[in-house]
Amino acid sequence: MKPENPAVANQDDEIDLIALFLSLWQKKKLIMGVTFLFALASLAYALLAKQVWTSHAIVTLPQETDVANYLIDMDKMGVIKSQDESSLFARFKKNLVSQTKQAEFLQTTTMYEELQAKGLTKQKALQALLKDIAIEKLDNEKSAVALNGVSISFSAPTPELAQESLQAFIENMNKITKKDLLMNLQAKIDVTKVALKKELQAIEGVVNTEKQLKLQYLERALTSAQNAGIKDYMNIQYKQMNDFRNASVGIQVKSSSLYDDVFLFMLGEKYLAAQINSLKKLAVIYPTRYYDIKNQLKNLNAYLAQDQIGKTQFNVFSYQEEPSYPANRTAPKRALIVVAGTFVGLLVGTLIALFMNALASYRREKKIA
């Protein structure tokens, strides 16, 4: 058997390709019709599909002017020492990424009501809208300017609605964060007031106890002086007795131990009586800390009475880029959809033509057989 001639094989291949092309050309109307139908369908879809416009914004740490009022109030109240711009912005970011907070906001929008009107359940409507919010933390590589910043985007059926919704979303999270901070401030003020009152009572207790002890020592010394018949202050004898006692015990008596001194009676009836009379009549002298606490409590009460907590104006973020007005649609990509639909139509039309040719060839072979 002679080997097959390569030239003949190639000629057969060429004849097959030509035949295939001619068969497709015969079905050109079918292919063009299917392609046209797919192109028309893709165009209709591109025109009728829901439009999506996306607004973008970048938020970052608040400026000093944004939080000045809040930090000044905190300093006045003396209840928060660790709050700064970073900690306030961290709270804001926590609320931003919370789906619970996002859902609470979305339930107040008209888009949520429209989806429910179309028959969607509350849960499905929220799930659909949650996909329209995108939040991304910016690092140094992506945005060296917005260090610690966050990129936020919101998608909606119109550019106006996208921009307005993003603005409202950010302001809502700012409001929620401020409310949380002010509620925490209220709680901290209440705790601080309780602690200050306890400290005040403790100081009063110590000072009054010391006063009573002084009175008791002076009254005991007065009784001793009366029994000893010492009317006036015996300066020399008192000094000598103290020097003798100090030398015997090897210590130096502090002035604070005056009122428990066993030789106190040597001050004499007149001096002791005058001391007792002064202690009973004059007001108690408290340490400086006592009056500081009084003043702080007064300021706290005045702050609460004026409802200053709800009046403090501040923001917990600043805009690196404000919500943009979308110039181009995010979806649908009409040109891309039409091109893709036309290509798919051409492919489907070609496959149909090939299938019809293959089916015709199969039937001819059957008849010959």
Side-chain angles (χ1 to χ4, degrees):
M1 183 175 178
K2 293 181 179 181
E4 183 180 358
N5 191 339
V8 175
N10 291 337
Q11 187 177 1
D12 291 340
D13 290 341
E14 290 177 3
I15 293 172
D16 290 340
L17 290 174
I18 292 173
L20 178 61
F21 177 77
L22 290 174
S23 65
L24 291 176
W25 181 255
Q26 291 175 355
K27 299 288 190 300
K28 61 180 179 296
K29 291 184 178 180
L30 172 65
I31 296 173
M32 292 176 62
V34 174
T35 303
F36 177 76
L37 287 176
F38 271 79
L40 188 63
S42 61
L43 178 61
Y45 173 78
L47 293 175
L48 298 176
K50 176 184 175 182
Q51 295 187 29
V52 178
W53 302 77
T54 303
S55 176
H56 300 274
I58 295 178
V59 295
T60 187
L61 293 173
Q63 302 297 317
E64 292 183 0
T65 53
D66 294 319
V67 295
N69 292 335
Y70 178 78
L71 296 179
I72 289 173
D73 284 349
M74 300 310 98
D75 185 63
K76 286 180 180 178
M77 298 304 101
V79 294
I80 299 178
K81 300 298 183 183
S82 61
Q83 293 275 356
D84 56 17
E85 292 87 345
S86 298
S87 61
L88 298 181
F89 187 63
R91 285 178 174 268
F92 176 69
K93 289 193 292 185
K94 183 178 178 181
N95 286 327
L96 273 180
V97 300
S98 170
Q99 284 202 348
T100 300
K101 303 294 185 187
Q102 292 176 7
E104 290 175 357
F105 166 75
L106 292 172
Q107 287 175 338
T108 64
T109 62
T110 57
M111 293 180 290
Y112 177 73
E113 296 176 357
E114 290 173 355
L115 289 177
Q116 283 189 295
K118 293 179 180 179
L120 271 66
T121 63
K122 293 181 178 180
Q123 185 175 5
K124 289 185 177 180
L126 281 176
Q127 288 176 348
L129 291 175
L130 284 171
K131 296 177 182 178
D132 294 333
I133 300 175
I135 299 173
E136 180 185 5
K137 181 180 178 181
L138 299 178
D139 54 29
N140 294 343
E141 295 179 359
K142 291 185 178 180
S143 179
V145 177
L147 181 62
N148 295 321
V150 175
S151 173
I152 312 170
S153 62
F154 199 104
S155 300
T158 65
E160 294 83 5
L161 186 58
Q163 185 184 41
E164 292 170 2
S165 298
L166 180 57
Q167 181 82 40
F169 174 70
I170 294 173
E171 292 299 330
N172 180 263
M173 293 305 167
N174 181 51
K175 182 179 178 181
I176 290 174
T177 306
K178 288 168 57 178
K179 183 179 179 181
D180 292 342
L181 288 168
L182 295 176
M183 287 179 64
N184 289 338
L185 172 60
Q186 175 70 66
K188 288 180 179 294
I189 288 177
D190 292 340
V191 171
T192 301
K193 285 178 63 179
V194 171
L196 290 175
K197 288 178 180 179
K198 286 185 177 179
E199 187 177 358
L200 201 65
Q201 292 173 354
I203 293 175
E204 289 174 347
V206 169
V207 172
N208 285 312
T209 299
E210 289 180 351
K211 177 181 178 180
Q212 293 302 319
L213 286 174
K214 289 178 182 179
L215 281 172
Q216 290 177 11
Y217 284 127
L218 289 171
E219 288 173 350
R220 185 179 66 179
L222 177 60
T223 301
S224 299
Q226 290 173 344
N227 293 335
I230 302 175
K231 299 291 184 181
D232 295 319
Y233 174 47
M234 301 178 67
N235 184 33
I236 298 177
Q237 292 88 339
Y238 181 70
K239 183 177 184 306
Q240 291 175 346
M241 294 296 292
N242 269 314
D243 291 343
F244 173 77
R245 183 186 65 174
N246 295 342
S248 64
V249 298
I251 61 172
Q252 183 177 357
V253 179
K254 297 180 181 179
S255 59
S256 59
S257 64
L258 172 65
Y259 294 100
D260 61 356
D261 192 344
V262 293
F263 303 115
L264 189 60
F265 70 94
M266 298 184 69
L267 293 173
E269 291 184 35
K270 292 182 180 180
Y271 182 85
L272 292 170
Q275 283 279 2
I276 293 171
N277 187 50
S278 296
L279 279 176
K280 288 182 176 180
K281 288 184 177 182
L282 298 178
V284 177
I285 300 176
Y286 293 101
T288 304
R289 174 59 183 164
Y290 178 84
Y291 299 101
D292 290 341
I293 294 173
K294 282 276 193 178
N295 188 53
Q296 189 173 355
L297 283 172
K298 180 181 178 182
N299 291 337
L300 287 174
N301 290 329
Y303 186 82
L304 295 175
Q306 297 172 8
D307 193 25
Q308 290 297 318
I309 289 181
K311 296 178 181 178
T312 304
Q313 299 296 322
F314 67 101
N315 292 311
V316 293
F317 76 97
S318 63
Y319 279 116
Q320 184 70 34
E321 294 181 11
E322 295 190 4
S324 62
Y325 183 88
N328 300 310
R329 285 187 308 273
T330 306
K333 301 292 185 182
R334 290 176 176 171
L336 182 62
I337 291 173
V338 172
V339 171
T342 303
F343 176 78
V344 171
L346 177 62
L347 181 62
V348 171
T350 303
L351 291 175
I352 292 174
L354 290 173
F355 176 77
M356 292 176 67
N357 286 335
L359 184 61
S361 298
Y362 175 77
R363 288 176 177 175
R364 284 195 298 270
E365 292 177 359
K366 281 290 186 180
K367 287 180 180 181
I368 294 173

